[in-house]
Amino acid sequence: MADASIKKNSDIFVVSPEKLRRQRAAKFIGEGFLLAIASFVAVVVLFIFYFVAVDAVPFFQERGFAEFFTSTGWYPADDPGEFGALAIIYGSAMVTIGSALIAVPLGIAAAICLSDVLPFTVRQYAKPVIEMLAAIPSVAYGFFALVIFAPLLQNFGGTILMWAWWLIAGPFVLLAVIVIADVLAARVATESKERSLRTVLTLLFGIAAIGVLYGVGRTLSAIEILSGTNALNVSIILSFMALPTIVSVSEDSLQAVGRELREGSYALGATRAETIVKTILPAASSGILAAVILGIMRALGETMVVWMASGNSSQIPDPWFNYLESIRTLTATIAGDMGEADQVTGSARYHVLFAMGLLLLIFSFISNFISERIVVRQRKILAGE
Amino acid sequence: MELGTRKILDRSFTAVGVTSIVLMALALLVVIVPIFRGGIAALYFDGTIEHRKLQYDQFGKGDPDELSVQIAETDRHRSEAYRFLDAFEREMEGMDAETAGNYRPGFRKVKEILTHLLGPLPGEQEPILLRFQYGRTRWEKAEETLHDLLFVTKWDYSNPSEMAKEYFVPRSDEFAGTALAGLFPYVEDNLRNMLLPEPTFYWGFITNKSLDAHIFGGIWAEIQGTFFLAVGAMLFAFPLGVIAAIYFTEYAKDNFFTSMLRSANSTLAGVPSIVFGLFGLAFFINTIKVSESKSVLAGSLTLAIMILPTIIRAAEEAILSVPKTYKEASLGLGSTKWRTIMTVILPAALPGIITGGIISLGRAAGETAPIIFTAAVSVGATIGIADVFTSPTPALSWNIYNLASEHEAANEIRHVQYGMVLALISIVLLLNLSAILLRARISKKLKG
């Protein structure tokens, strides 16, 4: 009995060639299995590219590139149909840039605030709030944009624009006045006169600035928005959706900047603002750039909000920067037109939507590639390699 | 620069940062509060007698005796109103053809609005569509309809440079001096007696199926469809993701191939959601034909590849956060690498992995774009578990779009849309909240 158990246990340590082979085989098979599963993602990526491209190529074969990229005539239901996607691509670019203009400054400011300004206890609660913002499904944002925000814009558009201008631009303009007066006074006057000159300059510039603020505000309040479902509405809502990405990735890269840089800057007598602007931001700039690219991609790839709230009219607004007109985007076109396209036989209309999908896919691939390179490079620089 | 200015700049810098955080919190509130308020109105409202009738006829809920008493009471008040109609009809017969012809369109309109308000008029044959068989089921809708009855909406086009303005003219002016004139003040005074509104908690909104394309009834089919799609996606993505994460953290060597796999992962995470929909259509349905056309299975598979990168990343992070000493102790006791992973590392990382899974589940439940072409239908019945391989399903996310943008009576059924959005947001946010709480508990535990 005892002998048997000893013998059985000692088997573990005595490695016969046959057992060794079996162990190696098991190890090989096991690791191969794990590798196969891990490669699954790569296979999926290749499949996505392949299957989207396969259905997109017939369109370009049949129609060439020129019409798709240069014409604004989008009449897919006609026979033979017109498939000019220029206005649609332009619409996508418009809402992407619009949301970036709102989300990037706000996001970077919030990231700086989270990483360097707020005490830890506040940060603990602020982070989940931002995560919540990211968790709300896009269709809920779309519903909000369509049912709640669009009527608001339509009825009180001018007033909303005016207050937004006063509240956002106001403090910045006044701050600029103080700084400009300070710099000018320091340059022009001798030390004894400087203080009084600065006061005078500040007052003068201040009055001028308030005039400008008020004038622009009045002009904005006179604007009438004919339709609430427009590029502005979509840009604002998309910026909500891009913000969490921008904030969390930027914050990570700000946190990655080492303590010694901050402490060195403080030791030289810089204020916190100067430390952040002149030391930390440059060090983290590439990471922030990556965050911005990722955030922009979220806005470009978003479907439901643009579909529900953009108005879906395939035209280039007049003038070209008019954010108060309806537009149409790539994603919304794919989502909206596929229902009418013949999905079985594969008409030109079916294939053109895959061409748009391919375009989006290529954009996302390139921007992802760039942002990844940037992050890798920053990590290396910060590690001192 | 003067020290004072530098200080001002510093302070204002802090202010900008804090404001941006406050703005984001505000954005969250601005989105959530109206949706929450509107959503509550789908569950809790002043239900009229028509609502209780509908509940009893269609779902067999309610007390028949009390209902018949109430119906008798409302009928008593309604018959008075109907008497005005009869009297006017008799009066019209006495008029000359031209005067009667002038009154006729207006009278038809009055009858139509009254049908909306109180259900089919006595003597009319029962309409086939459910939406015409009942009057107003909600008090606030009844009040809107009452306004329609009392006033004619007109538009003022007098100023060509501005948009037309809406104004109201009392409808009773049209019928001044006739027998019908008495109807308007009577209905206005007795609407409560005709409809008997009572505050109602309508739990059926969640558990009932929808009737007549969501004009009545609840959203059970959508909730069930969302559940099937999200859970189906997890069944595929979760095991794959965890195994891939084990490979990346424990076995992958630091070489070109591994870095390629990692970039593939982040590429997949960045693919726009609508492209997943295209891929699902082209691959799962048109190429390998997992089902004849749209199905829950195709939708789940599409969602699964969409959430796979998130799961892999979360699982990797969870595994990496397990203290190294655990692993060293296990290896030091003589167990193999595989055994260490299975008995020491995975159990320790499991809460973190599950957190990632819960967040991905929420994401799968909320996504719309990937299921448009692969799984979602606008109006459908609940499906059994056996049908998931072949039949499509309604789902919350898709039906919110559908009801808000494409439904013929989109403005009439706002409360249903709000209710659906609230249901979806609650599901997703509850999942996220539980993940956050779980994560907080884990980090406390790992700290000791």
Side-chain angles (χ1 to χ4, degrees):
Chain A
M1 192 61 185
D3 272 1
S5 82
I6 287 171
K7 193 161 186 291
K8 204 174 166 198
N9 276 337
S10 63
D11 263 3
I12 297 166
F13 303 106
V14 180
V15 182
S16 66
E18 187 211 0
K19 187 162 183 182
L20 196 64
R21 216 178 306 126
R22 220 180 322 134
Q23 271 182 352
R24 277 195 186 140
K27 191 166 180 261
F28 184 76
I29 292 169
E31 280 189 30
F33 172 70
L34 287 178
L35 178 65
I37 299 282
S39 322
F40 179 73
V41 174
V43 175
V44 165
V45 171
L46 291 180
F47 266 44
I48 289 178
F49 266 99
Y50 176 74
F51 279 94
V52 173
V54 155
D55 271 326
V57 165
F59 173 77
F60 290 120
Q61 276 177 344
E62 210 176 293
R63 296 273 184 155
F65 289 94
E67 184 194 3
F68 187 76
F69 287 107
T70 57
S71 159
T72 59
W74 176 256
Y75 303 105
D78 291 1
D79 195 30
E82 232 183 299
F83 298 100
L86 183 63
I88 296 171
I89 295 171
Y90 182 75
S92 268
M94 213 169 148
V95 293
T96 308
I97 291 168
S99 60
L101 283 180
I102 303 170
V104 168
L106 204 61
I108 294 176
I112 291 170
C113 188
L114 276 181
S115 98
D116 283 69
V117 177
L118 288 178
F120 181 74
T121 43
V122 182
R123 200 193 311 166
Q124 254 182 329
Y125 297 104
K127 268 225 137 171
V129 168
I130 294 167
E131 276 169 27
M132 289 271 193
L133 212 52
I136 294 178
S138 61
V139 70
Y141 279 115
F143 179 76
F144 175 80
L146 177 69
V147 173
I148 300 168
F149 198 52
L152 268 183
L153 267 185
Q154 204 162 325
N155 296 330
F156 311 103
T159 326
I160 292 175
L161 288 178
M162 180 183 74
W163 279 102
W165 163 256
W166 281 348
L167 289 178
I168 294 169
F172 283 102
V173 171
L174 292 182
L175 199 65
V177 165
I178 295 173
V179 173
I180 291 172
D182 183 286
V183 171
L184 275 182
R187 189 167 295 168
V188 177
T190 58
E191 205 158 308
S192 58
K193 282 186 188 167
E194 199 188 306
R195 190 169 283 269
S196 56
L197 180 65
R198 201 173 59 226
T199 318
V200 173
L201 279 177
T202 310
L203 279 177
L204 274 179
F205 283 148
I207 290 166
I210 287 174
V212 169
L213 278 174
Y214 184 75
V216 175
R218 294 301 303 195
T219 324
L220 284 176
S221 79
I223 290 176
E224 260 192 43
I225 298 178
L226 294 179
S227 158
T229 51
N230 56 27
L232 178 71
N233 184 349
V234 171
S235 300
I236 292 173
I237 306 294
L238 282 186
S239 71
F240 285 7
M241 305 183 68
L243 265 175
T245 315
I246 296 181
V247 173
S248 70
V249 180
S250 308
E251 205 229 336
D252 284 346
S253 81
L254 285 169
Q255 289 282 331
V257 176
R259 269 179 83 94
E260 55 287 357
L261 280 179
R262 288 188 173 87
E263 281 163 4
S265 171
Y266 287 132
L268 289 171
T271 61
R272 183 155 62 186
E274 286 159 352
T275 306
I276 291 169
V277 172
K278 292 186 179 158
T279 312
I280 301 174
L281 277 185
S285 62
S286 47
I288 290 175
L289 187 65
V292 168
I293 293 173
L294 284 181
I296 284 178
M297 265 322 292
R298 273 212 74 181
L300 180 63
E302 175 47 48
T303 311
M304 294 318 288
V305 173
V306 286
W307 191 14
M308 292 169 89
S310 71
N312 285 325
S313 60
S314 88
Q315 47 158 23
I316 292 181
D318 173 47
W320 57 272
F321 50 81
N322 187 355
Y323 269 87
L324 303 178
E325 270 190 35
S326 297
I327 45 99
R328 191 185 178 109
T329 67
L330 289 169
T331 49
T333 310
I334 297 173
D337 275 27
M338 189 56 92
E340 281 117 68
D342 192 347
Q343 293 175 19
V344 182
T345 56
S347 55
R349 192 174 187 184
Y350 173 82
H351 291 308
V352 74
L353 298 178
F354 276 85
M356 291 178 171
L358 186 64
L359 204 62
L360 283 172
L361 196 54
I362 290 170
F363 268 130
S364 82
F365 179 71
I366 292 173
S367 55
N368 215 16
F369 184 77
I370 294 173
S371 75
E372 204 173 297
R373 290 293 105 184
I374 291 172
V375 169
V376 167
R377 212 183 57 194
Q378 192 209 14
R379 207 171 287 150
K380 271 185 188 160
I381 291 171
L382 284 178
E385 281 173 28
Chain B
M1 232 185 272
E2 160 115 327
L3 186 63
T5 316
R6 282 175 64 195
K7 273 188 181 160
I8 291 176
L9 271 179
D10 193 33
R11 299 263 160 73
S12 56
F13 193 86
T14 311
V16 167
V18 174
T19 316
S20 62
I21 294 280
V22 171
L23 269 180
M24 284 172 71
L26 220 62
L28 189 69
L29 278 185
V30 162
V31 174
I32 286 191
V33 167
I35 285 176
F36 196 76
R37 257 184 42 198
I40 290 296
L43 288 170
Y44 179 74
F45 53 91
D46 285 337
T48 61
I49 183 78
E50 299 293 321
H51 175 73
R52 296 191 282 281
K53 254 195 249 175
L54 179 92
Q55 286 299 305
Y56 184 72
D57 292 353
Q58 302 296 329
F59 303 108
K61 285 185 190 132
D63 178 6
D65 301 329
E66 203 191 323
L67 193 63
S68 57
V69 171
Q70 288 184 341
I71 289 177
E73 197 194 331
T74 56
D75 278 348
R76 199 156 49 80
H77 286 95
R78 287 175 186 204
S79 60
E80 194 71 28
Y82 295 140
R83 211 168 295 145
F84 281 108
L85 294 183
D86 289 341
F88 183 68
E89 219 147 355
R90 258 180 276 118
E91 195 181 332
M92 275 211 307
E93 278 163 24
M95 293 175 195
D96 59 277
E98 199 186 337
T99 343
N102 286 342
Y103 279 127
R104 198 154 284 135
F107 183 55
R108 206 177 294 138
K109 186 79 193 163
V110 169
K111 270 168 126 178
E112 189 190 306
I113 296 175
L114 221 53
T115 315
H116 276 303
L117 193 62
L118 304 173
L121 301 175
E124 275 182 6
Q125 73 186 104
E126 183 86 332
I128 297 166
L129 275 179
L130 202 60
R131 67 189 78 170
F132 301 124
Q133 288 175 18
Y134 294 91
R136 286 303 190 190
T137 53
R138 301 165 65 93
W139 179 243
E140 84 268 9
K141 288 283 172 198
E143 281 180 318
E144 277 173 30
T145 317
L146 175 68
H147 186 268
D148 277 351
L149 180 71
L150 296 180
F151 297 99
V152 186
T153 312
K154 297 222 162 149
W155 294 88
D156 173 20
Y157 293 100
S158 59
N159 188 349
S161 65
E162 263 184 38
M163 275 164 79
K165 284 208 176 74
E166 201 179 18
Y167 68 100
F168 302 105
V169 179
R171 203 182 284 275
S172 56
D173 292 358
E174 214 176 307
F175 299 97
T178 64
L180 200 64
L183 172 79
F184 302 101
Y186 177 79
V187 173
E188 192 178 5
D189 293 340
N190 288 290
L191 190 64
R192 260 179 194 279
N193 295 329
M194 290 177 182
L195 287 170
L196 293 179
E198 276 173 12
T200 314
F201 253 118
Y202 179 36
W203 292 118
F205 182 73
I206 293 169
T207 54
N208 286 349
K209 63 180 200 275
S210 86
L211 296 174
D212 197 2
H214 282 291
I215 288 178
F216 304 114
I219 55 170
W220 178 242
E222 282 75 21
I223 290 181
Q224 194 195 33
T226 304
F227 177 80
F228 280 154
L229 283 168
V231 170
M234 282 309 282
L235 284 182
F236 292 114
F238 193 70
L240 283 179
V242 174
I243 294 173
I246 291 174
Y247 177 80
F248 278 129
T249 48
E250 300 293 332
Y251 288 95
K253 292 173 189 76
D254 201 8
N255 56 20
F256 178 72
F257 183 67
T258 311
S259 78
M260 281 298 290
L261 288 185
R262 279 182 197 281
S263 345
N265 200 25
S266 67
T267 307
L268 193 64
V271 171
S273 54
I274 189 76
V275 175
F276 282 110
L278 284 179
F279 172 68
L281 174 66
F283 181 66
F284 291 126
I285 294 180
N286 287 351
T287 306
I288 63 170
K289 292 197 179 12
V290 295
S291 58
E292 279 305 303
S293 63
K294 292 177 185 179
S295 72
V296 176
L297 180 64
S300 290
L301 286 169
T302 312
L303 285 174
I305 58 169
M306 193 193 73
I307 57 174
L308 192 56
T310 328
I311 293 184
I312 293 179
R313 230 174 254 175
E316 261 187 85
E317 240 166 68
I319 292 174
L320 286 177
S321 72
V322 175
K324 245 195 166 135
T325 44
Y326 286 27
K327 190 174 161 187
E328 280 158 6
S330 170
L331 289 174
L333 284 172
S335 56
T336 58
K337 192 171 182 181
W338 181 242
R339 183 171 272 265
T340 304
I341 291 168
M342 291 313 278
T343 57
V344 176
I345 295 177
L346 269 191
L350 199 61
I353 295 175
I354 289 174
T355 311
I358 292 173
I359 288 176
S360 312
L361 188 68
R363 213 182 139 210
E367 272 299 336
T368 318
I371 62 170
I372 298 175
F373 317 135
T374 53
V377 284
S378 48
V379 175
T382 48
I383 57 170
I385 197 98
D387 299 327
V388 295
F389 298 107
T390 50
S391 55
T393 176
L396 278 176
S397 55
W398 167 248
N399 282 68
I400 290 167
Y401 165 78
N402 201 61
L403 291 191
S405 306
E406 289 179 359
H407 197 280
E408 66 227 281
N411 282 320
E412 282 284 295
I413 52 163
R414 285 279 178 245
H415 56 278
V416 182
Q417 299 158 15
Y418 274 110
M420 270 190 194
V421 178
L422 182 65
L424 182 63
I425 287 190
S426 324
I427 291 172
V428 172
L429 288 191
L430 277 181
L431 285 174
N432 270 271
L433 201 67
S434 58
I436 289 171
L437 292 180
L438 193 64
R439 200 184 317 161
R441 264 188 61 182
I442 300 163
S443 66
K444 214 179 263 174
K445 209 172 171 188
L446 284 179
K447 265 184 211 155

